[in-house]
Amino acid sequence: MRYIAGEDISDAVRLVREMNSREMTSTIDVLGENVSTKDEAIESTRAAKEVLDVIDKEKLNANLSIKLTQVGLTIDQNFCFDNVKEILELARSRGNFVRIDMEDSATTTATLKLYEKLREAGFENTGVVIQAYMRRSEEDVRRLIEMKASVRLVKGIYVEPEAIAFKRKEEIRRNFTKLLGMLLEGKCRVAIATHDDVLIREAYGLISKLAPVKSEYEFQVLLGVRSDLRDKIVADGHRMRVYVPFGRHWHAYSIRRFQENPEVAGYVLKSILTGR
Ligand code: FDA
């Protein structure tokens, strides 16, 4: 439960309100990925649109994050495009923004291609994610800078082969810092999404050197991870957005968080035993 708002949208609303009251914005994610039928993809599209409606109705300071495999990427790319277009049209009419999460390497090219197609279709209210562990990311960032894309920069969470991904912590950090510098110099809107103190320090250095406009960058963290760091970044005067997932399909997301930090299995056990 530490990583997830709850099963219902009302749980996400409660959490986002709490974040908003502490000077943080949010991005809401309806849990789920890799659907295998068009009906499931249509249902996910409906759920994403419902989130946009609720954000509007409840006057929350939040946007939406989606995964393309949730809305049909691996079923039919044109069908997926139409679903995302529907979501973006609604978001645009509400003055809102939709972030397209990045999934495993089997979907990277298709995800970036679909993003490009959306921009060509005139959608400015959307952005993508770049994973610093991917060797191809520098090339992708060059292309995204030309497009003046909005980019969330992360280390990357999926298990990828060494042939296409950096494996060592230091290499990933070095690439993260390099890509962040490129994006800031390229005047892209950047979301710096990490809980790594070393990278936060590097980011602070780049921000004071390159002096981006405050509205052009923000930090992002996941719900339930390092709230100490989150509060410190806000106290230091930077914008902060918290990723708030909710829904019934919490299994794959939670497993990835456990793999990142096996210590957490201990917290879970403790909370089961103590009821707290
Ligand atoms: P690192 O893993 O080194 O963590 C730094 C420190 O943070 C750790 O030492 C620990 O103290 C703490 N920490 C990290 N994870 C923790 C956990 N689960 N529980 C408790 N403590 C933890 N990835 C991706 O491939 N595609 C995507 O679209 C996204 N989207 C995304 C959005 C946002 C807002 C964030 C913050 C992250 C993502 N990610 C992602 C995940 C990202 O790729 C990465 O796996 C995690 O952020 C962990 O990497 P860190 O940079 O935090 O460093």
Side-chain angles (χ1 to χ4, degrees):
M1 288 314 286
R2 174 179 166 190
Y3 296 120
I4 290 161
E7 293 203 343
D8 299 325
I9 195 160
S10 57
D11 298 316
V13 169
R14 183 177 39 77
L15 249 296
V16 172
R17 274 237 164 79
E18 191 188 323
M19 297 303 153
N20 287 173
S21 73
R22 296 205 255 144
E23 292 177 54
M24 292 178 247
T25 58
S26 288
T27 185
I28 301 180
D29 168 53
V30 188
L31 288 166
E33 52 203 281
N34 271 323
V35 302
S36 52
T37 67
K38 286 196 170 179
D39 283 349
E40 286 173 298
I42 289 166
E43 171 51 27
S44 298
T45 305
R46 188 208 57 75
K49 287 165 64 184
E50 185 186 4
V51 170
L52 290 168
D53 277 334
V54 169
I55 290 173
D56 191 58
K57 200 169 115 242
E58 302 284 338
K59 299 191 172 25
L60 301 175
N61 194 342
N63 62 30
L64 174 72
S65 285
I66 58 169
K67 289 187 174 51
L68 293 186
T69 63
Q70 204 176 4
V71 290
L73 187 71
T74 48
I75 301 171
D76 169 348
Q77 292 188 13
N78 289 329
F79 164 72
C80 178
F81 178 81
D82 290 341
N83 289 337
V84 180
K85 201 167 142 231
E86 247 184 61
I87 296 169
L88 288 184
E89 270 162 2
L90 180 65
R92 186 160 62 188
S93 75
R94 305 271 194 259
N96 211 336
F97 176 90
V98 179
R99 175 77 58 190
I100 300 171
D101 286 351
M102 187 58 82
E103 300 175 70
D104 64 22
S105 60
T107 62
T108 312
T109 300
T111 301
L112 292 174
K113 218 166 90 192
L114 194 135
Y115 171 72
E116 201 163 335
K117 202 168 146 194
L118 290 164
R119 290 290 304 279
E120 280 163 11
F123 290 103
E124 297 291 323
N125 61 328
T126 182
V128 275
V129 175
I130 283 289
Q131 296 154 325
Y133 69 8
M134 292 294 285
R135 295 181 192 273
R136 61 177 283 169
S137 286
E138 185 172 343
E139 210 42 52
D140 291 333
V141 161
R142 285 189 205 292
R143 177 82 197 104
L144 291 168
I145 288 172
E146 278 170 29
M147 294 163 62
K148 285 276 167 292
S150 166
V151 177
R152 175 199 291 151
L153 184 60
V154 301
K155 282 186 180 172
I157 184 77
Y158 301 86
V159 180
E160 301 291 355
E162 186 151 16
I164 59 166
F166 296 113
K167 288 287 178 188
R168 286 196 298 279
K169 199 170 184 160
E170 277 317 311
E171 283 180 313
I172 300 170
R173 277 186 177 146
R174 213 174 307 124
N175 204 36
F176 189 106
T177 308
K178 180 178 184 181
L179 299 177
L180 179 57
M182 287 170 65
L183 289 163
L184 289 172
E185 278 181 20
K187 306 272 178 241
C188 285
R189 277 168 54 212
V190 195
I192 307 161
T194 178
H195 320 92
D196 184 342
D197 290 314
V198 173
L199 289 181
I200 306 278
R201 250 195 322 275
E202 295 281 355
Y204 275 27
L206 283 168
I207 289 163
S208 62
K209 183 169 142 214
L210 300 169
V213 181
K214 220 172 197 154
S215 58
E216 294 296 289
Y217 76 91
E218 65 186 19
F219 286 87
Q220 293 190 354
V221 294
L222 301 172
L223 181 67
V225 181
R226 299 217 50 197
S227 48
D228 58 324
L229 177 75
R230 185 174 87 185
D231 294 345
K232 173 160 188 327
I233 293 173
V234 174
D236 288 340
H238 301 288
R239 298 193 315 152
M240 169 60 71
R241 187 178 299 277
V242 182
Y243 189 101
V244 174
F246 81 95
R248 283 177 295 115
H249 302 287
W250 47 268
H251 188 254
Y253 182 85
S254 307
I255 293 295
R256 287 201 295 276
R257 301 280 87 76
F258 285 140
Q259 282 165 345
E260 258 169 345
N261 188 359
E263 257 175 55
V264 171
Y267 300 142
V268 172
L269 188 62
K270 192 171 155 204
S271 87
I272 291 169
L273 290 172
T274 63
R276 282 193 289 138

